[in-house]
Amino acid sequence: MKTLKYFPSGLNGFMIMVFWLGCLFFSFPKKALTAELYFSPARGNFTVGDIFSVDLFVNTDGEAINNAEAAIEFPAEFLSVISVSQSTSIFSLWPEPVSFSNRAGTIIFNGGLPTPGYTGSSGSIFSAVFQVDQAGTAALVLTSAAVRANDGLGTDVLTAVGGVQYTLTAPAAVVKAEFVVTPRLPPKFTDYLKEVGAVCKVLAYGIGILALAVLLIAIILIILILLILLF
């Protein structure tokens, strides 16, 4: 009677088992590597002349990354970059340090770090200080962007980019206080006549009283003189 062998024996059997176990292991679905680049703040209202700071962050979604690069475009007619800083960045190696051009309206960078890389949801890459030059709507756009996994292969795992839009308004109009000076017109000639007439009336009244007083005094003196002469 023959014995049926379900598994080959010896070295061949061992290799076949390893092969099937390997297939079984790699057939399980693995978590897709994903990363996101985003700005903060992503929205804002600013006035012409305002100065504000914008930070670029990376969210690795739990996976280790060791490099990121991008070009950021901004509307040069509305915004201008005053300065950029990578002092608080997660990256310590800079094949291309953060730089900007207000003429071209771009910020570019390429940074990395050694193994074990970075894992986290708010890894700071750089910050930029902008000034508002004109009213309008300004968006920051990431182009030629990549985030690479710390897998020894440089796999680009960037799958999302956060949108940015700022509303820029003109400053409120300053209302200047106006002082209206009303010229003082000279009085009319008739007013002068009225005033002169009033003065004349007063003078006439005073002269009349004075004349009456003089007359009374004269009469009293005459009476006194006559009395003296008679006695």
Side-chain angles (χ1 to χ4, degrees), residues 206-228:
I207 292 172
I209 294 176
L210 181 61
L212 181 60
V214 171
L215 180 60
L216 290 175
I217 293 173
I219 293 173
I220 292 171
L221 289 175
I222 292 172
I223 293 172
L224 289 174
I225 292 171
L226 289 176
L227 290 175
I228 293 171

Side-chain angles (χ1 to χ4, degrees), residues 4-220:
L4 296 177
K5 296 184 177 180
Y6 294 95
F7 296 99
S9 60
L11 182 60
N12 290 336
F14 176 75
M15 295 298 294
I16 292 173
M17 290 181 64
V18 170
F19 171 77
W20 284 110
L21 288 174
C23 290
L24 185 63
F25 174 77
F26 288 106
S27 65
F28 285 111
K30 292 184 178 181
K31 179 183 178 182
L33 298 178
T34 61
E36 176 190 13
L37 290 174
Y38 64 95
F39 292 96
S40 180
R43 296 285 185 275
N45 297 302
F46 303 100
T47 304
V48 172
D50 284 353
I51 294 173
F52 64 98
S53 178
V54 178
D55 295 279
L56 179 64
F57 293 94
V58 61
N59 177 7
T60 71
D61 195 25
E63 299 296 335
I65 59 107
N66 63 7
N67 173 264
E69 65 175 318
I72 296 96
E73 297 178 354
F74 62 90
E77 66 270 28
F78 299 125
L79 297 174
S80 58
V81 178
I82 297 176
S83 64
V84 291
S85 174
Q86 57 198 40
S87 60
T88 59
S89 177
I90 60 171
F91 295 140
S92 56
L93 305 175
W94 292 96
E96 190 170 9
V98 184
S99 61
F100 66 90
S101 170
N102 283 322
R103 181 183 296 273
T106 57
I107 302 173
I108 57 175
F109 74 92
N110 186 341
L113 73 166
T115 301
Y118 169 79
T119 303
S121 59
S122 56
S124 173
I125 296 178
F126 74 87
S127 62
V129 177
F130 288 93
Q131 177 173 298
V132 181
D133 298 325
Q134 185 177 323
T137 300
L140 304 184
V141 180
L142 279 160
T143 62
S144 305
V147 175
R148 297 184 175 88
N150 189 49
D151 58 0
L153 301 174
T155 305
D156 185 3
V157 293
L158 179 63
T159 58
V161 174
V164 176
Q165 184 168 299
Y166 303 121
T167 301
L168 315 175
T169 57
V174 178
V175 179
K176 296 183 179 180
E178 295 184 0
F179 297 93
V180 179
V181 179
T182 303
R184 185 175 181 182
L185 299 175
K188 297 180 181 179
F189 183 70
T190 53
D191 294 336
Y192 278 118
L193 293 179
K194 288 180 181 180
E195 292 180 1
V196 170
V199 172
C200 290
K201 287 182 180 180
V202 172
L203 289 176
Y205 182 74
I207 292 172
I209 294 176
L210 181 61
L212 181 60
V214 171
L215 180 60
L216 290 175
I217 293 173
I219 293 173
I220 292 171

